Amino acid sequence: MEFLAPTTLADALAAKAELPDAMPITGGTDVMVELNFDRHRPPALLDLTRVPELAEWSMDDGRVRLGAGVTYTRVIEELGALLPGLAMASRTVGSPQIRNRGTVGGNLGAASPAGDAHPPLLAAETEVELASATGTRRVPIDEFYTGVKKHAGRPDELITAVVITPPSGPQQFSKIGTRNAMVISVAAVSVALHPGRQEVGTGIGSAAPTPRRAPAAEAFLAGALADAGLWESRRELPGALAAEFAALVRAAGAPIDDVRGTAAYRLHALAVMARRALTWAWSDYRRGTVAAQGG
Ligand SMILES: Cc1cc2nc3c(=O)[nH]c(=O)nc-3n(C[C@H](O)[C@H](O)[C@H](O)COP(=O)(O)OP(=O)(O)OC[C@H]3O[C@@H](n4cnc5c(N)ncnc54)[C@H](O)[C@@H]3O)c2cc1C
């Protein structure tokens, strides 16, 4: 197997143009498992760990541009205040070793319905940056996932970054697995409040062929909060609102039975976690503990 190790993004993109079947490898925490179990035998590996452009994050017009090679550990240590939902999800990934190697870009590249980065990225306003030797484009996150472990990137493209608008209010993430650590989720939910534009964001994981939003739940809650003047008053969240939101998140799921859990359990878990995540986010909003609140 050929091993390509470019040291610039231009060289990496040229290599991908020349050998579209080359498999990118960043942290390798998914790729090495696939190779070890002989599930794939790509003609070449394209190692991206020496490409400095992928390993950085920056602010770009109020948005975070997170390089595809930034590890979970760095998201936790450096971006907890700006991207609380993604940082919470990152804390639940694997073990310290996996978080030190694994990246958000690799989670997107694998596009597993169970990937933990997806729900908070869906709940925020996110675009995935894809680059090839011929140019760069940005794909809205909810158009990125095209099927089970499939995404919108072309064979000649690399994921170079995700561009995320930090929510103007609190964001929460909830995941359930068969134990507390080193576990792939059985179901996951993220909820973001965007008081600046009076909108709500959601993302659900392990509950459909792809990670997805729950648009009916988002529209219901944003409208109900506005109708009741709750965005301004920050009064206690009526239980009926949380219950209806949870029911609509549940209705957005289309899970399967598998070794980790049944479809019925996943739907139940979605509703429980949606209610909890919303309740936590609303308490944060009421307490005004989020730095950017009201933005
Ligand atoms: C023990 C263990 C525990 C784990 N626990 C969790 C968990 O709790 N939650 C979770 O979500 N995941 C978990 N994972 C899976 C894995 O760690 C994550 O999916 C991680 O985000 C992968 O990142 P990586 O950089 O290691 O990707 P890699 O393994 O390098 O790549 C993953 C995929 O993305 C592609 N790819 C990588 N970079 C790019 C790029 N720039 N452009 C295009 N394609 C690219 C690769 O070709 C491959 O298909 C676990 C894995 C292990 C081994």
Side-chain angles (χ1 to χ4, degrees):
M1 189 186 294
E2 230 183 309
F3 188 80
L4 309 167
T7 53
T8 66
L9 182 58
D11 285 351
L13 295 176
K16 198 73 173 105
E18 200 175 316
L19 256 183
D21 286 342
M23 180 181 268
I25 176 165
T26 303
T29 60
D30 277 319
V31 168
M32 291 314 297
V33 175
E34 298 279 302
L35 295 185
N36 285 341
F37 283 103
D38 217 11
R39 288 189 196 129
H40 288 297
R41 197 125 295 265
L45 284 178
L46 178 59
D47 175 26
L48 299 175
T49 54
R50 295 172 178 81
V51 178
E53 293 96 319
L54 298 177
E56 293 308 324
W57 69 268
S58 58
M59 291 306 294
D60 177 8
D61 201 17
R63 309 183 77 190
V64 178
R65 185 181 176 283
L66 183 70
V70 175
T71 62
Y72 293 110
T73 298
R74 287 190 56 200
V75 170
I76 295 163
E77 289 175 355
E78 300 169 31
L79 287 163
L82 272 172
L83 303 175
L86 186 61
M88 277 177 207
S90 300
R91 282 186 205 103
T92 75
V93 172
S95 59
Q97 295 89 334
I98 297 295
R99 294 193 286 273
N100 285 341
R101 297 287 310 177
T103 62
V104 175
N107 215 229
L108 287 165
S112 159
D116 286 320
H118 311 309
L121 293 179
L122 283 160
E125 195 187 310
T126 303
E127 290 176 319
V128 181
E129 188 181 282
L130 297 165
S132 71
T134 55
T136 300
R137 61 185 176 122
R138 286 183 179 178
V139 178
I141 186 88
D142 39 8
E143 293 168 22
F144 178 75
Y145 310 105
T146 54
V148 179
K149 300 192 177 181
K150 289 194 168 34
H151 62 70
R154 298 190 310 258
D156 67 329
E157 286 179 318
L158 291 173
I159 300 164
T160 40
V162 274
V163 183
I164 311 154
T165 306
S168 59
Q171 183 168 6
Q172 287 284 346
F173 173 78
S174 180
K175 158 178 170 179
I176 189 153
T178 47
R179 55 182 185 225
N180 273 342
M182 286 289 278
V183 71
I184 300 176
S185 75
V186 174
V189 173
S190 184
V191 175
L193 300 176
H194 306 287
R197 47 190 160 95
Q198 300 208 340
E199 286 177 13
V200 173
T202 57
I204 63 177
S206 286
T210 65
R212 57 164 70 161
R213 289 166 60 183
E218 295 174 3
F220 161 76
L221 184 62
L225 291 173
D227 290 348
L230 287 164
W231 287 115
E232 293 81 14
S233 70
R234 301 189 190 198
R235 281 197 315 273
E236 203 167 321
L237 191 71
L241 281 195
E244 179 62 15
F245 175 74
L248 290 169
V249 170
R250 183 188 198 278
I256 53 167
D257 294 333
D258 70 10
V259 285
R260 299 199 305 279
T262 62
Y265 177 75
R266 288 188 155 103
L267 289 175
H268 177 71
L270 278 185
V272 172
M273 290 191 295
R275 198 188 64 241
R276 282 186 192 158
L278 171 60
T279 308
W280 296 332
W282 191 257
S283 313
D284 289 344
Y285 183 53
R286 295 191 76 204
R287 280 202 303 269
T289 51
V290 173
Q293 210 169 73

